[in-house]
Amino acid sequence: MKELKRIRSKVDLAINGANPTFNEPIHVGRPNIGDRELFISYVNDIFDRKWLSNNGPLVEQLEARIEGLLGVKHCVAMCNGTIALEIAIRALDLSGEVIVPSYTFIATAHALSWQGITPVFADIDAATHTLDPDAVRHMITPRTTGILATHLWGTPCDIAALQEIADEHGLKLIFDAAHAFLSSYGDRMIGGFGDAEIFSFHATKFFNTFEGGCVTTNDDDLANTMRLMRNFGFAGLDNVVHLGTNGKLTEICAAMGLVNLDMVDEVIDANRGNYEVYRDGLAPIDGLNVLPVDDRGRSNYQYVVLEVDQAFPATRDTIVEALHAENILARRYFWPGCHQMKPYRELYPHAGLVLPHTQAVADRVIVLPTGTTLPSDALETIRAVCLALAGS
Ligand code: T4K
């Protein structure tokens, strides 16, 4: 195998004209893929059964396994996390204004706007990057019907404080838990909090079903409504009893989920190992901080979040540029914040005034690659790039 270039100082960096360290791109969000033989045997079963979609037996198995893992009454599988958000929002009858973080993936805000609901952006806590309950209080108006909070990076929100606010003001509370599959809040798994929680099983998530997602809830009526909504409102042949859409998960996606569920512990262990190497390697460098994982509960370690502050001699964007030049495609998630993306920037040109932490955090974060397929020398290269940029 070709020996990798060694980075000892700035002149060795590809950004300064040297060859890149890696020939192939190293992505954030490279899929973790379980046992191929088992997957293919599921596919053969699907073909033999000739049942490809519409709540097939593999979808039912996947739902039951997730309910067991999360300790929640209902898992309603969906074709992706965004449709899962939209269906949950609609089934809960949200309208008017809903309070959301701006520092989240754009789907959180879009799922509301898509349905004519105004997303009202509230600021985050700078230490955890999740919605700040005090900021939420300030954004409540007579039109507010709910709070949609993201467990960003798999870190649970301050659920107790948000639930208290929701109860006090008669608001619905739902969680975008797209990052938080198999994370816990204390000793309770994420999945059973608020009125509903929404997961994404997109290819780039540590647990994936190609595309997919689900809503989990302990509310029987809500689960029933969402099951109708994901299948056009059909309650048996020729009988539509509810407004609905097509949110169904296919059997092939469910098969991928069943296979990948068998390896989630292995993926979490690999990600924990990567996180620890990054933390130990980067923490001693002045101006860099690997966001600590919340150790009050269980974490899925799915994102490694590096924060760059003023003490570092190069900007966050220079680090990203230098890593990209080495073919390490680190990301600036979720820069610049939803409020600065065109559809929302025009709606709220002054939103930044009430989102100081969102803006500061969005300007300093780099998400680093992790996962089971990450070559170990990528971790060392990232450290070497940072050291070279720091001039040490
Ligand atoms: N809420 C939150 C908080 C979310 O983070 C997300 C999704 C959602 C809701 C919505 O859930 P879904 O409707 O997606 O189920 C990616 C994902 O597409 C998106 O699912 C995810 N969040 C977000 C955080 O990241 P992009 O636009 O940054 O990157 P993408 O999809 O192009 O993939 C990133 C990199 O991964 C690529 O450069 C290449 C690599 N990759 C990607 C795919 C799809 C692979 O190596 N193999 C692949 O199959 O959004």
Side-chain angles (χ1 to χ4, degrees), residues 32 266-282 290 301-304 368-380 382:
N32 301 301
E266 197 185 307
V267 177
I268 293 173
D269 282 351
N271 283 352
R272 186 194 302 111
N274 291 336
Y275 161 78
E276 286 166 357
V277 173
Y278 277 126
R279 183 197 57 198
D280 298 347
L282 297 174
V290 174
Y301 291 90
Q302 117 160 272
Y303 291 98
V304 178
L368 298 174
T370 186
T372 50
T373 61
L374 184 68
S376 59
D377 29 26
L379 300 158
E380 188 38 49
I382 290 168

Side-chain angles (χ1 to χ4, degrees), residues 58-178:
L58 298 185
V59 167
E60 287 185 351
Q61 271 184 51
L62 182 67
E63 290 182 334
R65 271 180 77 179
I66 292 174
E67 285 161 2
L69 281 169
L70 306 190
V72 66
K73 264 174 103 176
H74 303 282
C75 165
V76 184
M78 304 273 183
C79 56
N80 61 54
T82 304
I83 294 287
L85 274 167
E86 288 172 11
I87 288 181
I89 287 164
R90 198 153 192 135
L92 281 162
D93 218 9
L94 296 181
S95 62
E97 295 174 1
V98 170
I99 298 172
V100 281
S102 165
Y103 193 58
T104 179
F105 188 59
I106 198 70
T108 321
H110 276 356
L112 294 162
S113 293
W114 194 251
Q115 311 194 66
I117 298 166
T118 306
V120 172
F121 297 119
D123 210 2
I124 51 166
D125 176 298
T128 63
H129 300 184
T130 61
L131 207 48
D132 172 3
D134 286 334
V136 170
R137 280 188 188 279
H138 285 111
M139 306 313 274
I140 296 173
T141 74
R143 296 190 69 227
T144 310
T145 58
I147 303 167
L148 166 50
T150 304
H151 300 307
L152 203 82
W153 317 131
T155 306
C157 300
D158 186 343
I159 295 176
L162 292 173
Q163 189 64 65
E164 201 179 304
I165 297 171
D167 292 344
E168 214 175 287
H169 293 268
L171 304 176
K172 296 285 194 309
L173 175 62
I174 58 178
F175 293 101
D176 180 337

Side-chain angles (χ1 to χ4, degrees), residues 25-31 79-85 103-109 111 150-153 176-179 198-205 208 210-214 303 329 331 333-334:
I26 294 179
H27 292 284
V28 168
R30 205 65 167 159
C79 56
N80 61 54
T82 304
I83 294 287
L85 274 167
Y103 193 58
T104 179
F105 188 59
I106 198 70
T108 321
T150 304
H151 300 307
L152 203 82
W153 317 131
D176 180 337
H179 299 180
I198 294 90
F199 295 91
S200 163
F201 304 143
H202 181 256
T204 55
K205 296 290 180 284
N208 84 85
F210 294 109
E211 289 271 1
C214 71
Y303 291 98
L329 305 185
R331 299 292 299 264
Y333 288 144
F334 288 102

